[in-house]
Amino acid sequence: MQQNIQRHRVVVIGAGYTGASAAGRLARRLRSEDVSITVVNAEPDFVERVRMHQLAVGQDLRPRPFHRMFAGTGVRLKLAKVTGIDVDRGTVSVTDANGAGQPEHLEYDTLVYALGSAWNTRGVPGTAEHAHEIAGREGALRLRDRLAALAPGSPVTVVGGGLTGVEAATELAEARPDLDVSLVARGGLGDWLSPKGARHLRKVFGDLRITAHEHTAVTAVEADRVITAEDDIPAAVTVWTTGFAVHPIARATALETTDDGRIPVDGTMRSTSHPDVYAIGDAALVAGPGGKPLRMSCASGVPTAWQAADAIAARLTGGKLPTTAPRYFNQCVSLGRKEGLIQYVTADDRAVSAALTGRVAALYKELVCKGAAWGVANPTMGLPTRRRRVTAQRAGATAPAA
């Protein structure tokens, strides 16, 4: 006679690329009569974060409601805001999506921490008060409204010379050629690219008449300008894209975290301090090839989500743990709707000489974006999967695997 066991409770907090992928993949690995999977997220729709620069300039994005994405999987979506985690008691505290109402405490046997990241002001005075961000839909929509109100000839300054800044500046300059767009970079423009990639980036900046302020550090942001050590740069709108900062909740728990708030994990994405907690995406400190930490990105996050889901399923069913190590292949950069750049890289994300440019690269990038969204809804890549039974001996297992 089969032993009757309580369903193993998995709670996933955050439903970006990583959280949604992990939940859907786990649901396709395990039987719903053995496991309950609850996803906590403040929004009812999946947000294509890699397209926020498009949303900001007025383009409409296809809605992707979670009720369709999770239909038939057994995944339960709870629209709520996470306010705290007690990793010793195994509970997540939530309020309604607006942060109001009485707190509720969700109990878990396994927690998947996927709260991701937001913009990083880096403590520069005036940034929080005067700059705009495109790290999420709310910020992109605020920027969209502000840009729509600008008169022709108004100066717009993008601060940050990385992937997000380059994509924002080129998208904006293409969509609004009537504006005076500039970009401020602490280093050289495209200095992380190969010579071929950097040349193409400079060509596109020239064609779009974007002014690049290179080797320039911003010291303050005001309502109508950006202050640097060398000069003031006019800015009716400042767009701040100098990297990401992780959600602060992890640092307020007993979880081991780094100085920047990320959660160190092992090769299966399990917290090094609490074996019933898995961290994925931007929230996790993941060692990549050569021990180099993975950068915060969709390209890093989705493989960590797959790794965590497969590891959880393996531990609950007595299966084989995944051993695939995350690595990089390329960096995909949109430069407006007509131009793109695919920079091929080493496994540890260093540029090699090969790069794809022009319209073909723009199409490549668009296919990557569409594929990423499709992959969230199809986290086993459309392949048939077998839902395995959870064993009674493994249902509450928390001891580290050998």
Side-chain angles (χ1 to χ4, degrees), residues 11 13 40-41 78-85 91-97 99-106:
V11 174
I13 53 175
V40 181
N41 198 61
K78 185 172 184 62
L79 290 177
K81 180 179 180 181
V82 177
T83 58
I85 304 168
T91 60
V92 175
S93 299
V94 302
T95 58
D96 67 28
Q102 292 297 317
E104 181 181 353
H105 305 291
L106 306 178

Side-chain angles (χ1 to χ4, degrees), residues 328-349:
Y328 295 103
F329 297 94
N330 52 42
Q331 295 179 6
C332 302
V333 191
S334 65
L335 303 174
R337 295 300 87 203
K338 300 175 182 178
E339 284 280 359
L341 170 62
I342 309 301
Q343 176 62 66
Y344 296 100
V345 298
T346 60
D348 62 351
D349 209 28

Side-chain angles (χ1 to χ4, degrees), residues 5 8 110 311-319 321 389-402:
I5 62 173
H8 189 90
T110 296
I312 292 168
R315 288 191 169 105
L316 291 177
T317 63
L321 288 173
R389 295 303 305 260
V390 172
T391 64
Q393 292 79 14
R394 293 267 177 174
T398 58

Side-chain angles (χ1 to χ4, degrees), residues 106-121:
L106 306 178
E107 296 182 336
Y108 67 81
D109 299 303
T110 296
L111 175 67
V112 180
Y113 188 108
L115 289 180
S117 61
W119 69 322
N120 189 352
T121 67

Side-chain angles (χ1 to χ4, degrees), residues 297-324:
S297 67
C298 176
S300 305
V302 172
T304 68
W306 291 357
Q307 191 87 333
D310 291 351
I312 292 168
R315 288 191 169 105
L316 291 177
T317 63
K320 183 179 179 180
L321 288 173
T323 58
T324 303

